[in-house]
Amino acid sequence: MSPHLARRTVDIQPFHVMELLRRARELEAQGRDIIHMEVGEPDFATPQPMIDAATRFLAGGDVHYTAALGLPPLRAAIARFYQERFGADVAPERIIVTPGASGALMLALAATTDPGDEWLLPDPGYPSNRHLVRSFEGVPRALPVGAETRYQPTPDQVAGAWTARTRGLIVASPSNPTGTLLEQAELAALRTAVLARGGTLIVDEIYQGLTYGVDASTVLKSMDDVFVVNSFSKYFGMTGWRLGWLVAPQAYVREIEKLAQHFFISPSTPAQHAALAAFAPATIEILEARRHEFAQRRDTLLPALRELGFVVAAEPQGAFYIYADVSRLADDSEALAQRLIEEAGVAATPGLDFGDNQPRRHLRIAYTNRSERLLEAAERIARMLA
């Protein structure tokens, strides 16, 4: 029997990087050595203080639902982190703990989007953002961005794209796939452009903390009328724990709580107890050492790629990605990605995942492996190209 699928599913494209990961796993099962540079997942283990905290909690056996908004002590700890690390005054009551950053974005969109509402999104950008907009019957509208603006939108671009149906703008700093940042003045200008038109600004800060040569910051340092999505996955190294958070304007919190009650009941209780140790000095010391390691990896891989003919016009200042123009090497980045994995044993993500703005020219390459493996990947690519 043919399934009756909702119309929205037709518009939801597969996450191509996951298809690539599946092929990598198949090759590994055949005995091939694959260097993974495709998935945005740090190769570090969860810091031991968080594992210890979860272990102590689980040993007690009292593993039950928490409040839909999350453990009050964890919400308070996140608020203290904003104050102590960034000088941002964020009330714990505005913080909603969620199943990953995806859960946070789902809640923000569900609370603000009516059928037909348009959301402006930079292209290239993280693919799930546009698909989640569509899932809530919104309409994603791409803002093509390039290296001349560090792959970030400008207020003039937002103003030119705004229509009577536009609901708001979603931006990311640091961004995926480009690793570029928005400065505080740029965020303020985008906020002004959005709010002047009665819109909503959502800022994705899930790579907050992973910055190189520039201090990490938050839009919440200077404004409290925006939504901020964050995560324990990237800087804190808790990908598989599936825990994130949303900071919402106070007027939205009660409505978001109702949505969270029905969507998720509550976030993972063991993950929340692990996260209570995320802000401890011993944990932060581990995380900062890892951040310095990521900076070294970036500084190792970037010149190696450029020597091979990859063009990186906007250097990444955050996250752990390099977004490279490969048009000197191949006509089609998807075909190049297939050659890389099959012939060189190197997995990288074609631009197809990140939008319609020249995707065939670009690859996203993650420096989530130790430097020795990154150099080995460069050597493999060089042999393949030769």
Side-chain angles (χ1 to χ4, degrees):
M1 183 179 69
S2 298
H4 176 78
L5 296 174
R7 290 180 58 188
R8 70 175 65 86
T9 64
V10 177
D11 299 328
I12 305 300
Q13 300 170 2
F15 206 164
H16 293 92
V17 68
M18 301 311 293
E19 305 286 328
L20 197 68
L21 179 61
R22 181 176 63 182
R23 178 56 181 159
R25 298 303 188 205
E26 290 173 353
L27 292 172
E28 286 174 326
Q30 298 169 16
R32 292 279 303 277
D33 175 47
I34 305 298
I35 300 177
H36 289 274
M37 305 170 75
E38 79 281 33
V39 179
E41 183 171 38
D43 61 339
F44 298 112
T46 301
Q48 194 63 41
M50 289 190 272
I51 295 175
D52 292 342
T55 301
R56 287 192 298 270
F57 168 70
L58 288 169
D62 186 20
V63 186
H64 299 289
Y65 296 133
T66 69
L69 295 179
L71 283 171
L74 181 56
R75 297 167 72 196
I78 295 170
R80 285 195 302 273
F81 181 69
Y82 275 118
Q83 180 61 58
E84 295 170 1
R85 183 74 174 262
F86 308 112
D89 186 13
V90 181
E93 293 76 21
R94 295 174 53 206
I95 297 169
I96 300 99
V97 184
T98 58
S102 297
L105 183 58
M106 287 174 63
L107 290 172
L109 290 171
T112 57
T113 307
D114 285 320
D117 282 354
E118 296 177 347
W119 283 91
L120 305 179
L121 301 97
D123 181 354
Y126 183 59
S128 294
N129 292 355
R130 65 181 186 271
H131 294 309
L132 287 177
V133 168
R134 176 66 186 92
S135 296
F136 288 103
E137 298 299 326
V139 179
R141 288 194 58 207
L143 295 177
V145 292
E148 67 280 359
T149 61
R150 305 188 317 283
Y151 296 102
Q152 297 286 0
T154 66
D156 288 344
Q157 192 176 22
V158 170
W162 204 275
T163 73
R165 297 173 58 190
T166 305
R167 173 66 250 161
L169 170 70
I170 302 175
V171 295
S173 180
S175 72
N176 178 5
T178 65
T180 61
L181 308 177
L182 281 162
E183 297 177 359
Q184 285 292 319
E186 293 171 319
L187 282 164
L190 288 170
R191 168 183 172 266
T192 297
V194 170
L195 267 61
R197 292 163 175 81
T200 300
L201 177 62
I202 298 177
V203 182
D204 170 351
E205 293 187 346
I206 75 170
Y207 293 92
Q208 181 189 58
L210 290 176
T211 58
Y212 319 112
V214 60
D215 290 337
S217 188
T218 175
V219 68
L220 295 166
K221 189 173 182 179
S222 58
M223 54 195 82
D224 59 7
D225 49 7
V226 301
F227 288 86
V228 172
V229 173
N230 213 319
S231 175
F232 285 100
S233 289
K234 309 302 182 181
Y235 176 71
F236 296 99
M238 295 180 68
T239 50
W241 299 79
R242 305 310 306 130
L243 198 69
W245 72 87
L246 174 70
V247 181
Q250 186 64 54
Y252 287 86
V253 171
R254 174 54 184 158
E255 301 309 311
I256 288 175
E257 181 179 20
K258 293 189 299 183
L259 292 168
Q261 289 168 345
H262 292 290
F263 283 8
F264 313 122
I265 306 299
S266 70
S268 162
T269 304
Q272 291 186 78
H273 280 271
L276 282 170
F279 309 107
T283 308
I284 295 298
E285 183 178 353
I286 294 170
L287 299 175
E288 282 298 290
R290 293 177 177 184
R291 182 174 69 87
H292 291 300
E293 171 70 16
F294 277 127
Q296 293 172 3
R297 294 176 180 187
R298 181 199 63 166
D299 294 343
T300 295
L301 184 60
L302 195 55
L305 291 176
R306 283 174 165 159
E307 187 173 339
L308 292 171
F310 292 77
V311 176
V312 183
E315 290 195 6
Q317 291 182 291
F320 33 64
Y321 307 113
I322 294 172
Y323 197 62
D325 185 332
V326 297
S327 57
R328 294 180 181 177
L329 308 174
D331 295 330
D332 181 359
S333 64
E334 185 178 19
L336 178 60
Q338 290 297 327
R339 282 194 65 201
L340 286 172
I341 194 170
E342 300 291 343
E343 299 178 31
V346 174
T349 308
L352 190 65
D353 252 344
F354 307 109
D356 298 320
N357 182 14
Q358 299 184 319
R360 301 287 179 181
R361 293 176 63 102
H362 293 88
L363 279 180
R364 188 195 73 177
I365 303 162
Y367 45 94
T368 48
N369 278 284
R370 63 187 186 277
S371 294
E372 294 82 0
R373 290 285 275 174
L374 298 179
L375 289 175
E376 182 182 351
E379 291 172 0
R380 292 185 187 186
I381 296 170
R383 288 196 298 269
M384 187 200 80
L385 294 175

